Amino acid sequence: MKFGILVNEGPYQHQASDSAYQFARAALEKGHEVTRVFFYHDGVYNGTSYSVPPLDDRQVTKQWSELAKEHDVDLVLCVAACQRRGMMDDGEAERHGKGANNVAEGFRISGLGQLIETGIQSDRLVTFGD
Amino acid sequence: MGDMNEGGSTKKFLYLNRKAPYGTVYALESLEVVLIAAAFEQDVSLAFIDDGVYQIIQGQDTTGIGMKNFSPTFNALGDYDINKLYVEKESLDERGLTEDDLMPLVYEDEDDDWAEKPSIRVVSRAEMADLMQDQDVILSF
């Protein structure tokens, strides 16, 4: 089955991202496909490369980056949500005159259309958040 | 946008609004998804349950809280061919609200000489459950 995933909450504050990650891992291990994870609302903070959590805690962003690398999962951060919250790739940073790229490996910034497309193309779209 | 809608399939999308319009950003950002979704020519419905019913009450005034009052945007949905807004009756009842407290949202029916018709349909909790059962994709905010 083709799964799309929507993550609506930031890391650490809320368990949504952890649950989504564990769901994605479990689905892939069962032989399903996870086509895309779309991060919206504060969920875009899951893609920051500037997160340095304590070493004895789970590394939320790093886990997603590794998942993307291992299974070719498309991790998409909503551009409108990113602009409100200070998440920038090189293009966005240049466009808005900001200094740095803070999007972690395996993530990319794109539009809300990618979420709708995931809904159209997946067998199931599963939402994680309040 | 043609290549985004691979295969040209149409699905039934329901945007489920459960939260008050202010206090958190969910309602505003949900509406932003709905406006984008309109470009994809899918079968779009909106549902309002729980505190979500407050999103479409009349006479919203946010001057005291320094937030943008985005409720006028709901008036534009009809122009985007989004004209199925389901409101759960029990959620209204539980909050002391009636249909008269809601914005008079309308659309122009192109199949009926552009007659102006109400977009809002108040349904029971049981009908809301059937509506959800009937969807392909539910996005809950």
Side-chain angles (χ1 to χ4, degrees), chain B residues 47-92:
Chain B
F48 298 86
I49 65 170
D50 302 339
D51 280 351
V53 299
Y54 287 119
Q55 291 181 29
I56 50 169
I57 57 170
Q58 298 199 50
Q60 295 181 37
D61 179 0
T62 58
T63 48
I65 55 171
M67 307 286 286
K68 180 180 165 190
N69 177 1
F70 63 89
S71 63
T73 309
F74 285 105
N75 290 304
L77 292 180
D79 297 335
Y80 287 89
D81 287 332
I82 296 171
N83 49 38
K84 289 178 286 190
L85 276 64
Y86 298 91
V87 182
E88 191 187 73
K89 184 173 186 304
E90 286 84 344
S91 295
L92 290 174

Side-chain angles (χ1 to χ4, degrees), chain A residues 9 40-41 84 122 130, chain B residues 11 18 26 29 32 141:
Chain A
E9 310 292 340
Y40 196 41
H41 305 296
R84 285 199 175 99
S122 309
D130 270 345
Chain B
K11 284 189 173 181
R18 297 173 294 128
Y26 296 102
E29 288 191 329
E32 289 182 356
F141 293 110

Side-chain angles (χ1 to χ4, degrees), chain A residues 54-67:
Chain A
L55 287 173
D56 60 354
D57 202 349
R58 72 238 188 269
Q59 310 288 302
V60 172
T61 299
K62 190 158 166 266
Q63 286 176 343
W64 282 116
S65 293
E66 286 169 359
L67 184 81

